[in-house]
Amino acid sequence: MNALTFTLKKTLQHSLNCAALTPSNLASKSIAEIASTALQFGKTQLRVDEVFDITGSDTQNIHFKNATNRLDYLGANMASGSIHIEGNVGAYLGFALKQGEIYCHGNAEAFSACNMTGGLLKINGNTGDFLGGASAGLRKGMRGGVVIIKGNAGDRVGDQMRRGLILIEGGAGDYCGSRMIAGTIG
């Protein structure tokens, strides 16, 4: 089977919530059902096929092409499979990632690996603030898994981090490990 591939076909003016496009959410759906899935876009919703060209059928191996920093929540609550991203992504990459692997061949915005509990997140570029941190209102950030950043990370890496491993090959911004409870940052 070929990887299920979403190729961005239009310029986005607002952030698009892509949380529904994970291997576990799409596992039992047909291509027609995937195409008709509604994604939150500002105050409205868009169908997947309005935003992406869809090819392939392997829902456990998802690829995003022509990605931009307007694509938020890629890999959110993911519990299986893999996601490969060609291009930059928006905020909350790998939000609450449980299992599986996410590979981003570009840069990511703030809150990557936020609330992550397992799996692997690898970013071959830079990432924004609060890598591995806690989302608003929670007292624990990253609680497991592995994060590898090939570039630089923003401020407050590992804010309120509880478990897990973050490796950064470049530099980190201010307050790295702020309010960190446990885990490893290298």
Side-chain angles (χ1 to χ4, degrees), residues 42-172:
K43 293 182 180 180
T44 64
Q45 291 185 336
L46 294 175
R47 288 171 43 114
V48 170
D49 60 1
E50 290 180 85
V51 182
F52 298 102
D53 286 324
I54 305 168
T55 57
S57 59
D58 183 2
T59 59
Q60 291 303 299
N61 186 12
I62 297 176
H63 288 223
F64 287 89
K65 293 185 176 181
N66 300 333
T68 72
N69 64 350
R70 298 286 189 188
L71 301 180
D72 289 347
Y73 289 98
L74 281 174
N77 298 302
M78 191 167 127
S80 66
S82 67
I83 293 178
H84 294 264
I85 305 158
E86 295 176 18
N88 298 328
V89 295
Y92 296 97
L93 174 65
F95 175 81
L97 175 65
K98 296 171 181 64
Q99 291 293 323
E101 300 174 349
I102 300 174
Y103 301 95
C104 176
H105 303 283
N107 299 318
E109 298 289 331
F111 292 100
S112 295
C114 178
N115 302 343
M116 182 173 164
T117 60
L120 170 68
L121 172 61
K122 184 175 181 182
I123 301 173
N124 285 333
N126 301 320
T127 187
D129 299 338
F130 292 97
L131 170 68
S135 60
L138 291 183
R139 304 216 13 104
K140 292 180 184 169
M142 185 174 162
R143 296 182 304 278
V146 175
V147 177
I148 300 170
I149 308 298
K150 293 291 197 175
N152 298 316
D155 296 341
R156 295 194 179 272
V157 171
D159 185 58
Q160 297 186 0
M161 182 175 170
R162 180 66 179 100
R163 288 187 184 87
L165 172 66
I166 298 175
L167 298 174
I168 304 167
E169 291 189 16

